[in-house]
Amino acid sequence: MTLPTQTTVKELDPVFAEMAAASFQLTESGTQLTPRELTLLSLVADVCEQVLGMPFELHVRAALDNGLDADDLRELLRFISYDSGYPAALAALERLAEVERKHGLPEPTGQAHQVNADGTGSPIPTAMRAEVRALNPGFADYMDLQSRMRADMSRISVRERAFATMTVDVLYQTLQESFRAHVGRALGAGATPDEVRAVVRATATFGMTRTWRALNVLDALLADQEEPQGKQTAGDA
């Protein structure tokens, strides 16, 4: 495999390489996230930022080193396309295929989920669907379609999908309705508050000030969720 390594970065600028390595090391040290999860989040950031040169190749290498394959990477791109935007995901898909050809990497086997674009309904929670439909019925139909088309995905876990969409929210600074929903999905998939904080903190290497803002919003969201539980505990005592 001839994908770039940290040595490639050092050849460009050893001082930059040292700064970047120290930054990523601190971000990843002590985190409750797995190397696979961190790699997936890096790839999501690449799509959102359209950083599809050397950083993308480094993250593809990391993905392969952490057990992800070509089919997994395509499911990730299919999954985040509704949040990142289809054009951004398509550009990353084109670049991924180019990287695979360039470096002789294993190609996808074609294993994929059933899209169900012509079906009806949606796995989105009923209350959320009603809220969006009251806002705009046409947009509600679009949201139902996006959710329904992804319902049978299985290569990327629910926890990983929640973390991926949280990462999109931080990078796009969509820190209201969608961020609240995606944090709730992560917690519902068994993630702890500290793990959810680790997801947001992992975005710092892609833009520190956005992470700062997102951590403030996240702490408020978690406090709101913990307050009813605290009242219930006091009532039971």
Side-chain angles (χ1 to χ4, degrees):
M1 191 189 310
T2 58
L3 283 166
T5 64
Q6 293 304 318
T7 300
T8 313
V9 182
K10 289 180 181 178
E11 291 171 352
L12 289 173
D13 184 341
V15 177
F16 178 89
E18 182 179 359
M19 292 168 61
S23 299
F24 277 96
Q25 182 177 5
L26 180 59
T27 302
E28 296 172 4
S29 65
T31 183
Q32 295 89 342
L33 306 182
T34 67
R36 172 185 161 109
E37 288 168 344
L38 288 167
T39 297
L40 288 171
L41 300 189
S42 293
L43 287 165
V44 171
D46 291 336
V47 176
C48 292
E49 303 288 86
Q50 288 292 277
V51 178
L52 302 178
M54 184 190 296
F56 184 71
E57 292 195 13
L58 285 167
H59 297 148
V60 169
R61 183 189 187 97
L64 298 176
D65 289 344
N66 284 296
L68 290 152
D69 61 26
D71 293 306
D72 297 329
L73 296 181
R74 278 160 178 77
E75 179 160 295
L76 175 68
L77 296 180
R78 295 182 198 119
F79 175 70
I80 66 169
S81 60
Y82 77 115
D83 272 344
S84 70
Y86 278 90
L90 177 58
L93 180 59
E94 179 184 39
R95 177 63 176 140
L96 174 60
E98 180 183 303
V99 169
E100 290 168 343
R101 290 192 300 269
K102 175 182 175 183
H103 298 291
L105 303 177
E107 296 183 357
T109 65
Q111 297 181 30
H113 72 291
Q114 183 176 350
V115 172
N116 191 26
D118 297 326
T120 59
S122 166
I124 296 175
T126 303
M128 184 185 297
R129 289 184 70 200
E131 180 181 339
V132 174
R133 188 156 295 279
L135 175 66
N136 187 283
F139 179 68
D141 290 341
Y142 182 81
M143 184 178 286
D144 281 351
L145 172 66
Q146 298 310 307
S147 183
R148 185 170 65 247
M149 287 196 298
R150 289 159 174 77
D152 289 335
M153 287 185 172
S154 60
R155 304 186 72 87
I156 307 297
S157 71
V158 174
R159 170 187 165 108
E160 290 168 340
R161 282 180 262 167
F163 289 173
T165 50
M166 283 179 57
T167 300
V168 177
D169 286 327
V170 175
L171 295 174
Y172 284 176
Q173 290 290 279
T174 49
L175 300 175
Q176 286 111 8
E177 298 87 355
S178 62
F179 188 57
R180 181 170 63 248
H182 297 151
V183 169
R185 182 188 297 164
L187 295 171
T192 67
D194 282 344
E195 288 172 330
V196 170
R197 290 187 179 95
V199 172
V200 175
R201 197 167 58 247
T203 65
T205 49
F206 302 96
M208 187 182 75
T209 53
R210 291 177 295 190
T211 305
W212 185 4
R213 174 62 185 150
L215 283 171
N216 273 305
V217 174
L218 177 61
D219 274 355
L221 284 176
L222 293 175
D224 286 344
Q225 294 204 6
E226 290 169 0
E227 185 177 354
Q229 295 176 0
K231 288 181 178 178
Q232 182 178 358
T233 302
D236 294 340

